[in-house]
Amino acid sequence: MSVARSLERRLEKLFEGVAGRVFSGKIHPSELAGRLAREADFARFQHATGPATGNLYVIIVNPADLTMDPGEVEAILTDEMTDYTAEEGLRLEGPVTVRVTTTEETATGRVHCHVEVSPGPPVVWSRLVGETETLDIGRNRVLVGRSPDADVTIDHDDVSRRHALLFREHGQVWLQDLSSANGTWVDGRRLQAGPVRLDPGSIVTFSEHPYRFVGI
């Protein structure tokens, strides 16, 4: 099943319970779900840390097609798209936001949607807790290293500028060494090629600097 179709089916199921209370019968839940899914798929791009996509979703409909305040569906879709991007391991440059707007220029029964990259502070979902500092993890894919441009900066000379990649995907959290000079360890085992799964409480060591991985 394609990524777009997978998301479309998730949204169709979601809309079965709410679309009828938010939109008139002229807009079918499958049309709204399909359009949002396609735009989310088209917005994908390749970031230095891996696959990424937009985080601001704007849905435009005719005001006659709204039967109540759109805030409820905005909140529901924001939660769903946040879960979806985390499940797919897609990097976001800010928190997911879904907006439903209206204009007379959109024909009744039609849905327009577009996606943008809107930079903003990420929502923290885990932490690396060290002896003297705590590092927040807020994006689905984060670069860990000495570089000030890293998502998580560890300011020690023996840590490589691009030391490791930490990401979540399909309900799991993974850590991958990026050919660092002094290595990365998980629970005492040095990482080789490929990512290794992290569990809550795992001890992650970048060169000689240990941190406990803590989920939120």
Side-chain angles (χ1 to χ4, degrees):
M1 184 188 304
S2 70
V3 172
R5 183 55 182 154
S6 174
L7 175 58
E8 183 177 348
R9 288 188 175 181
R10 288 177 59 160
L11 293 176
E12 285 176 352
K13 184 176 181 180
L14 174 71
F15 280 133
E16 286 176 0
V18 301
R21 294 185 284 116
V22 179
F23 298 102
S24 73
K26 295 179 180 179
I27 295 182
H28 193 275
S30 63
E31 180 183 358
L32 184 56
R35 187 57 186 268
L36 186 57
R38 288 191 296 273
E39 292 297 332
D41 198 41
F42 291 154
R44 285 189 176 218
F45 63 95
Q46 195 67 21
H47 186 267
T49 60
T53 192
N55 59 298
L56 173 60
Y57 297 80
V58 181
I59 299 170
I60 307 170
V61 298
N62 189 285
D65 288 327
L66 279 178
T67 59
M68 63 178 291
D69 189 302
E72 179 182 4
V73 78
E74 289 178 341
I76 293 172
L77 281 176
T78 294
D79 289 343
E80 182 66 17
M81 294 305 295
T82 298
D83 290 345
Y84 167 74
T85 54
E87 179 70 14
E88 292 294 319
L90 298 174
R91 181 185 169 94
L92 305 173
E93 295 307 312
V96 171
T97 301
V98 178
R99 296 176 184 162
V100 178
T101 63
T102 62
T103 175
E104 297 284 356
E105 296 180 359
T106 299
T108 57
R110 298 295 300 274
V111 177
H112 296 291
C113 178
H114 68 268
V115 184
E116 301 175 12
V117 174
S118 180
V123 178
V124 175
W125 59 271
S126 65
R127 292 186 171 97
L128 293 170
V129 180
E131 294 180 357
T132 60
E133 63 180 349
T134 296
L135 307 173
D136 290 341
I137 308 297
R139 305 196 190 283
N140 293 328
R141 309 182 73 88
V142 299
L143 174 65
V144 180
R146 191 180 78 254
S147 170
D149 295 328
D151 300 298
V152 175
T153 301
I154 301 178
D155 191 16
H156 294 285
D157 289 342
D158 54 335
V159 173
S160 296
R161 292 179 60 82
R162 291 172 45 88
H163 198 101
L165 175 68
L166 190 153
F167 62 99
R168 58 177 175 174
E169 184 176 325
H170 303 310
Q172 303 291 341
V173 181
W174 304 86
L175 183 68
Q176 182 173 357
D177 183 76
L178 299 178
S179 300
S180 63
N182 295 314
T184 304
W185 284 259
V186 174
D187 294 330
R189 182 180 62 178
R190 185 165 184 168
L191 272 58
Q192 303 299 324
V196 171
R197 191 181 73 184
L198 288 184
D199 295 317
S202 291
I203 301 299
V204 179
T205 303
F206 305 99
S207 183
E208 297 181 354
H209 309 283
Y211 297 84
R212 183 179 298 277
F213 173 71
V214 179
I216 295 179

